[in-house]
Amino acid sequence: MSSYLPVLVLFVLAVAFGLLSLLVSITLSPKARSQAKEAPYECGIVPGREAPERFPVKFFLVAMIFIVFDIEIIFFFPWAVVFRELGGYGLAVIGIFAALVFESFVYLIGNGALEWGPRQRQRRAEIVSPDRTLTSTIRRVGAEGRPAALEPAALAPAAHHAPGHGDHGHGDHGAAA
Amino acid sequence: MLAVDTPQYLPENIFFGIIAFIMVVSALRVVTTRNVVHAALWLILVLAGVAGNFILLGNEFVAVTQVLVYIGAIVVLFLFGVMLTRAPIGADAHLDNDQRPLALVVALPLLALMGYVLWDAWKDTKITEAGPPIVASTSVLSDSIFKTYLIPFEAASVLLLAALIGAIVLARRD
């Protein structure tokens, strides 16, 4: 029991520190109260409305996850004490136990229970679409910011130019043919 | 009832008295405070006293369990319940209601029953150095979990699974 003496000393010190801090702040701090000082701080913006009274129910899931895994950890303590005596049997037993609890966690993630914020729709990015070609990409970049009338005229020579001189400019293209 | 009056156990007896006093005061504050959140915080003090008593008895595992499960989990669940429902966060004058006689009818027989059971089980037994330890050590507990009570132990994991799935069903928006 004497091994708990440091814990007791720490406890007494913690309580004493808390009380002393309170006492010092009560006795030494200047008391100049005003409405602006009492208002909740919102980065300098005057608070416009009350905070919402109810929180999203998703917080409940976080609490439940915490509790379930808290209790799972509790069962790990007695296992850890007799870990060497139990050996493989203990590992199998605790493995089944942990797997069953972890299964619920997988189900939870699969249900999107931990996805916060508004629902995000997956949008197809057209710039990096898999069916793009060299010419389509070049045309899009080249046409950017130009008047629409100029576009065919500016690109027409380049489009005809590349196949015509394939053996000259592109060595790999000529080898494949 | 359980304490010994030999001088060797004097510190334990003193600390039991201190802890018991703190617990009784906190338990009274739990039911008399006008603020739900404060009631949960006073409850922490009561449960911490229980953990302290288990340490005085020399059973660290149950004390740790008390802190982790009751202070860590149950009180957190209470506070989340206050947060998620329409319960007022601040002080509330209407926290009390007129069901005190009914509560008395429930509480007094319960107190009598539990007091009688405790007295009947121990009468004036005292913890002595020579006698067998009243509280089993953690390794004894481990043995009984992994040998005698293996099936209930594994069933507990299914219970935890059910708790989480129930939480998902409650929290799901459909």
Side-chain angles (χ1 to χ4, degrees):
Chain A
M1 200 46 57
S2 60
S3 61
Y4 281 98
L5 199 63
V7 178
L8 184 73
V9 171
L10 181 71
F11 200 74
V12 170
L13 279 178
V15 171
F17 177 75
L19 288 180
L20 196 73
S21 306
L22 273 178
L23 195 74
V24 166
S25 89
I26 286 171
T27 50
L28 295 185
S29 67
K31 287 170 190 61
R33 288 169 184 271
S34 69
Q35 205 177 358
K37 277 187 186 171
E38 300 279 315
Y41 182 67
E42 284 190 8
C43 303
I45 301 168
V46 178
R49 58 186 175 87
E50 289 288 309
E53 282 200 351
R54 294 180 75 180
F55 288 79
V57 78
K58 284 211 163 190
F59 285 107
F60 175 67
L61 268 185
V62 177
M64 281 306 291
I65 295 168
F66 166 67
I67 287 168
V68 163
F69 286 96
D70 201 43
I71 293 169
E72 189 192 359
I73 285 170
I74 282 292
F75 283 110
F76 279 27
F77 277 97
W79 171 67
V81 169
V82 291
F83 170 65
R84 300 218 175 276
E85 287 84 350
L86 286 179
Y89 164 75
L91 208 62
V93 164
I94 206 80
I96 294 169
F97 178 77
L100 274 170
V101 182
F102 186 71
E103 183 194 342
S104 66
F105 190 62
V106 172
Y107 177 71
L108 210 88
I109 299 283
N111 255 331
L114 292 182
E115 280 162 20
W116 293 80
R119 185 171 299 185
Q120 296 195 343
R121 288 216 172 72
Q122 208 165 18
R123 201 168 45 116
R124 255 186 81 167
E126 285 167 16
I127 301 292
V128 288
S129 70
D131 51 4
R132 69 172 183 174
T133 60
L134 200 64
T135 50
S136 70
T137 310
I138 288 172
R139 183 175 292 148
R140 185 171 292 115
V141 172
E144 202 172 306
R146 291 185 190 181
L150 274 176
E151 191 187 339
L155 285 165
H160 288 295
H161 188 79
H165 297 268
D167 53 336
H168 187 257
H170 307 280
D172 55 339
H173 194 266
Chain B
M1 182 159 52
L2 285 168
V4 171
D5 41 10
T6 54
Q8 187 194 356
Y9 280 103
L10 189 65
E12 275 89 344
N13 284 341
I14 291 172
F15 280 115
F16 176 75
I18 295 172
I19 290 173
F21 177 73
I22 292 174
M23 281 175 68
V24 169
V25 170
S26 308
L28 283 175
R29 289 297 294 150
V30 169
V31 289
T32 53
T33 182
R34 291 255 174 247
N35 193 324
V36 187
V37 178
H38 288 182
L41 296 181
W42 282 111
L43 190 64
I44 290 181
L45 218 51
V46 180
L47 297 170
V50 176
N53 276 340
F54 275 118
I55 284 183
L56 283 183
L57 281 170
N59 195 324
E60 286 95 347
F61 175 70
V62 183
V64 166
T65 307
Q66 188 75 27
V67 171
L68 273 179
V69 172
Y70 283 89
I71 300 177
I74 302 297
V75 176
V76 164
L77 196 65
F78 280 174
L79 290 174
F80 268 78
V82 173
M83 194 174 90
L84 295 173
T85 55
R86 256 183 226 287
I89 301 291
D92 184 14
H94 303 289
L95 215 56
D96 216 349
N97 56 24
D98 52 356
Q99 291 183 338
R100 287 193 180 199
L102 203 64
L104 209 66
V105 169
V106 175
L108 274 184
L110 201 63
L111 176 71
L113 180 72
M114 288 173 74
Y116 171 73
V117 166
L118 274 179
W119 181 82
D120 190 52
W122 277 288
K123 297 215 165 60
D124 49 359
T125 314
K126 286 175 178 174
I127 299 173
T128 52
E129 195 76 59
I134 287 186
V135 192
S137 70
T138 310
S139 56
V140 175
L141 191 84
S142 311
D143 280 347
S144 70
I145 284 180
F146 291 107
K147 291 200 176 87
T148 320
Y149 298 106
L150 182 66
I151 299 299
F153 165 69
E154 297 289 1
S157 70
V158 182
L159 189 71
L160 293 177
L161 180 79
L164 257 191
I165 291 176
I168 296 170
V169 170
L170 280 178
R172 204 163 52 183
R173 196 179 305 165
D174 58 5

